Amino acid sequence: MGQRDKLDVITIGRAGVDLYGQQIGARLEDVHSFAKYLGGCPANIAVGTARLGLRSAIITRVGDDHFGRFLLEQFAREGVHTDGIITDPDRLTAMVVLGIRDRETFPLVFYRENCADMALNPADVDESLIARSRSVLFTGTHFSTEDTRAACSAALEAAQKHGCKIILDVDYRPVLWGLTSRSMGEERFVSAPAVTQTLQNFAPSCDLIVGTEEELHILGGTTDTLAAIRAIRAISAATIVCKLGEQGCVVFDGPIPEQLNMGIAGEGFPIEVFNVLGAGDAFMSGFLLGWLSERPLAECCRLANACGALVVSRHGCAPAIPTREELDWYLKHGSSHRALRNDAQLERLHWATTRQRRHRDLAIFAIDHRSQLEELAANCDVPESRISDLKNLAVKAVESINDVDMDIGILLDGRHGTEALFQMAGTPYWTGRAIELPGSRPLDFDTNKTVGGEMLEWDKAQVAKCLCFYHPDDSSDLRVVQERRVLDAYRASRESGREFLLEIISSKHGPITSSTVSDVMDRMYEIGVYPDWWKLEPAIDADTWKNISSVIERNDPHCHGILILGLAGNADDIVDCFHTTTDYPRIKGFAVGRTIFQSPAQDWLMGQIDDEEVVLRLKQNFEFLIDGWRSARVAKIQESLG
């Protein structure tokens, strides 16, 4: 078994979809829109540990439905191994509806009647998967029925056989044990001797037990916290962690002292509590980061409390859990904000380290053009509806590109490219969508809504692209308007959870020097705009690219990089530009339009070529640029090898 096949932790149990109310402070009855996240205690911990750099997997079931596929895809995006996930053809994926009423009230409604994950049975437990892991984590809910208890028993037997550490997150939800009405999902404690006995049957096998005071009460069989911990110690030698909310936690790894505060204490962080849901899962993720590395328990507490602090300040459970880089930064620098979600630098780091990573260069067919194609259609005396047909054919050209070592994408618009955008949904292609009103200066948006309202209707995978004609010598009045609108577009992108591409064209409105574009970029960072991508004019002088690269390194080293635009240039000239950029790793590809489509589109609109021919010519023009990009990079490698 190779090192890459090994796992640090496998979680077992709940995996579902969280529908989080977006109206904060409202009754759940009055919430009218929801955000969809991966959820469930073991699922959150699998994601949380993966974000922190541990190798995690989950054993569960999901439905053969849209939500089940969402969970599978999300686990894969987060780096969680999915070998242990069974797709259940007969049951639906579990779902929870959640709200944030106030600091003390977080209503939950569980939709888990005959759901997929509660059908987990011993046959679903793959011993060979467990044999790959250093630890297995169980959660309380999956001891609540005979079948799920049997599945946990099978997993426990396999874990003990292969020397895995055994972890219990008590995760007590009385409603999931049938102890409250279905409307009382937020209820944290109901005394139940049968539950206590069930959990106590498992506790002797554990190496680590983690719970809130209420959870340790149910496990210990008493509402006296210290007495409950002593009862647990009487049957288990496990390290016991008691979570104390804002006060932090306390750990017991030996005999239980006379007072709760005489254990190994982990102080909480002084932050504002916004949303407690998911904090425990983040806490467990952080604790395991330290515990599985055999760090001192005090350090495990510090990691756990920091993770919990970051999550209670945010919306959602799994998506709020920090990455390792973010956690390390917070532990080193702290924050001047009690409400951590208002710390712009921390939130930028969270976004940058949780978004999809890009490992390959990017080739984009830009056909988001509107005014240029409308003019071309008018010159060819054809209706504008033909522009939409052309963009659909451009999608076919993109889809016909095969066997390249670059990521392929397309840049479209919502005015004439709606059908093409529909076709791109769910595909592996990078898809951008223009938001600017063509040619507007000052910048305006191509919508009859606010730009934020516009983006709410888009596929989340679509990257928001904004073109701004901006020159450092513009009047102050013009700059103020332009900057405000770029900032509006950027914020709308972040609020809708999508990447942002900022295109800057300066050459049409003033003289260009080697510092012109870099000065514009510096200004954008200064006002708080941190694009995931920059789309910039081609340049042949080294000083321009050096200055641009320096600005990115200084302000946002997490930026995906720069895409070179074409400005309707000659294809050979653009390829020549590709060769001048090989010394600058921040340049990640190109996004070129009219150079690819201008001539084929005109011939097609005039009826001189058919659909098949225009697709072929678009493909050939696109491939010419792709080949030019690749040849430039190959030449650079050969040069470096002598």
Side-chain angles (χ1 to χ4, degrees):
M1 180 169 60
Q3 181 69 24
R4 65 183 179 85
D5 298 318
K6 294 182 179 179
L7 298 168
D8 295 305
V9 60
I10 297 173
T11 68
I12 298 177
R14 285 196 286 140
V17 168
D18 286 352
L19 294 181
Y20 250 93
Q22 294 182 303
Q23 285 68 55
I24 309 304
R27 302 183 310 156
L28 200 52
E29 293 88 334
D30 300 321
V31 170
H32 59 83
S33 62
F34 297 85
K36 174 169 66 76
Y37 305 134
L38 173 149
C41 174
N44 291 337
I45 295 170
V47 169
T49 49
R51 285 188 172 185
L52 293 173
L54 297 178
R55 295 157 296 187
S56 68
I58 184 169
I59 296 174
T60 190
R61 282 187 173 220
V62 299
D64 187 14
D65 54 38
H66 307 80
F67 280 175
R69 290 187 288 276
F70 161 72
L71 292 180
L72 284 166
E73 292 171 8
Q74 191 63 28
F75 279 127
R77 278 192 288 266
E78 295 283 0
V80 176
H81 292 251
T82 58
D83 307 20
I85 302 178
I86 307 295
T87 297
D88 189 326
D90 301 318
R91 297 171 181 82
L92 293 174
T93 303
M95 184 174 71
V96 186
V97 178
L98 313 92
I100 303 174
R101 179 70 178 86
D102 53 45
R103 289 189 61 184
E104 306 296 332
T105 312
F106 303 91
L108 299 99
V109 181
F110 290 92
Y111 291 83
R112 297 182 53 82
E113 304 294 328
N114 194 33
C115 67
D117 68 52
M118 289 303 290
L120 200 68
N121 63 69
D124 297 334
V125 177
D126 180 356
E127 181 179 338
S128 65
L129 177 65
I130 290 178
R132 292 163 50 190
S133 185
R134 293 198 289 145
S135 68
V136 180
L137 183 146
F138 299 82
T139 56
T141 301
H142 267 61
F143 292 97
S144 63
T145 70
E146 184 176 349
D147 284 347
T148 54
R149 279 197 299 275
C152 289
S153 295
L156 174 61
E157 181 179 347
Q160 291 176 322
K161 176 180 176 181
H162 294 283
C164 302
K165 295 288 188 181
I166 309 300
I167 304 158
L168 173 63
D169 187 317
V170 181
D171 183 39
Y172 182 44
R173 295 287 185 182
V175 68
L176 300 182
W177 290 78
L179 300 175
T180 70
S181 68
R182 291 180 176 85
S183 65
M184 295 295 292
E186 67 266 36
E187 183 64 54
R188 293 291 182 154
F189 182 78
V190 173
S191 179
V195 176
T196 296
Q197 187 58 57
T198 298
L199 295 175
Q200 286 190 354
N201 290 340
F202 181 73
S205 303
C206 295
D207 298 289
L208 175 66
I209 296 172
V210 180
T212 62
E213 288 188 81
E214 295 91 344
E215 290 168 341
L216 296 184
H217 292 168
I218 193 66
L219 178 56
T222 173
T223 55
D224 181 312
T225 301
L226 198 59
I229 294 171
R230 288 195 177 114
I232 298 167
R233 173 60 75 235
I235 60 172
S236 175
T239 296
I240 302 170
V241 182
C242 180
K243 297 181 288 186
L244 299 172
E246 296 178 59
Q247 299 175 42
C249 64
V250 61
V251 181
F252 305 94
D253 63 344
I256 308 305
E258 295 180 0
Q259 297 180 26
L260 193 65
N261 61 9
M262 294 176 67
I264 300 170
E267 293 186 6
F269 288 76
I271 51 89
E272 176 195 272
V273 175
F274 175 68
N275 168 32
V276 301
L277 302 173
D281 305 333
F283 178 98
M284 176 65 91
S285 300
F287 196 91
L288 290 179
L289 174 63
W291 189 72
L292 289 172
S293 302
E294 300 183 348
R295 298 192 192 185
L297 289 172
E299 176 65 10
C300 297
C301 294
R302 184 168 179 262
L303 294 169
N305 286 328
C307 287
L310 288 163
V311 169
V312 298
S313 185
R314 292 172 174 156
H315 196 265
C317 298
I321 296 176
T323 61
R324 179 62 182 276
E325 183 177 350
E326 179 187 357
L327 174 62
D328 289 346
W329 189 94
Y330 178 58
L331 289 172
K332 180 178 180 180
H333 300 283
S335 175
S336 61
H337 297 265
R338 280 184 56 84
L340 297 182
R341 66 189 178 280
N342 294 331
D343 188 319
Q345 187 167 356
L346 194 55
E347 288 302 288
R348 283 197 299 270
L349 184 59
H350 181 72
W351 167 264
T353 56
T354 57
R355 70 188 171 198
Q356 182 180 358
R357 293 178 177 85
R358 286 281 169 186
H359 301 292
R360 306 202 304 175
D361 289 345
L362 190 56
I364 303 299
F365 181 179
I367 191 165
D368 57 318
H369 303 68
R370 284 143 287 167
S371 56
Q372 297 96 331
L373 285 171
E374 288 165 1
E375 181 180 354
L376 183 59
N379 291 340
C380 295
D381 197 24
V382 298
E384 287 188 359
S385 60
R386 295 288 281 163
I387 300 173
S388 177
D389 297 334
L390 175 67
K391 298 194 180 198
N392 293 339
L393 294 172
V395 168
K396 293 184 182 297
V398 167
E399 293 176 333
S400 69
I401 303 292
N402 297 309
D403 300 323
V404 297
D405 54 1
M406 301 179 71
D407 287 335
I408 303 298
I410 191 167
L411 191 51
L412 292 160
D413 62 282
R415 186 190 298 182
H416 300 299
T418 302
E419 290 295 328
L421 286 164
F422 290 163
Q423 293 179 54
M424 298 309 296
T427 69
Y429 301 101
W430 185 100
T431 304
R433 182 167 178 167
I435 59 174
E436 78 281 348
L437 184 67
S440 58
R441 179 173 152 90
L443 171 67
D444 203 354
F445 302 116
D446 196 9
T447 179
N448 56 8
K449 306 181 182 72
T450 65
V451 66
E454 172 74 19
M455 289 187 198
L456 285 176
E457 299 180 0
W458 297 4
D459 183 334
K460 192 173 180 178
Q462 293 171 4
V463 177
K465 170 259 180 179
C466 180
L467 164 59
C468 184
F469 295 97
Y470 186 111
H471 194 281
D473 295 339
D474 290 340
S475 69
S476 59
D477 289 345
L478 177 58
R479 289 200 309 271
V480 166
V481 175
Q482 300 246 88
E483 290 169 5
R484 184 176 68 246
R485 290 179 180 165
V486 170
L487 191 57
D488 285 344
Y490 169 72
R491 288 172 173 168
S493 300
R494 288 293 177 266
E495 289 166 4
S496 60
R498 70 185 68 255
E499 292 185 5
F500 181 66
L501 183 156
L502 180 57
E503 178 177 358
I504 296 295
I505 294 180
S506 300
S507 62
K508 294 187 177 182
H509 298 281
I512 298 295
T513 69
S514 62
S515 63
T516 301
V517 176
S518 57
D519 286 347
V520 175
M521 295 168 66
D522 245 336
R523 178 57 184 164
M524 292 299 159
Y525 284 123
E526 183 181 352
I527 66 172
V529 176
Y530 285 73
D532 302 277
W533 299 94
W534 290 96
K535 186 180 176 202
L536 303 176
E537 299 176 73
I540 59 173
D541 65 291
D543 286 343
T544 293
W545 291 122
K546 286 178 182 177
N547 291 336
I548 288 170
S549 298
S550 176
V551 168
I552 294 176
E553 290 295 336
R554 185 170 63 251
N555 289 281
D556 185 17
H558 290 95
C559 178
H560 280 317
I562 302 160
L563 302 176
I564 298 173
L565 59 90
L567 286 180
N570 178 276
D572 290 324
D573 293 339
I574 293 174
V575 170
D576 287 342
C577 177
F578 293 166
H579 282 270
T580 69
T581 65
T582 55
D583 289 328
Y584 309 99
R586 283 291 173 188
I587 302 174
K588 295 295 186 181
F590 63 87
V592 174
R594 283 173 289 174
T595 305
I596 297 173
F597 72 73
Q598 184 72 30
S599 176
Q602 179 171 311
D603 291 347
W604 179 79
L605 288 170
M606 294 181 66
Q608 296 175 356
I609 58 175
D610 60 15
D611 291 358
E612 184 176 352
E613 179 65 19
V614 76
V615 169
L616 177 61
R617 286 178 57 184
L618 293 172
K619 175 187 177 184
Q620 290 173 338
N621 290 349
F622 193 17
E623 285 183 323
F624 180 85
L625 295 178
I626 293 172
D627 291 342
W629 179 270
R630 295 168 67 191
S631 66
R633 269 60 199 163
V634 169
K636 177 63 178 179
I637 293 172
Q638 292 174 342
E639 178 186 334
S640 65
L641 294 175

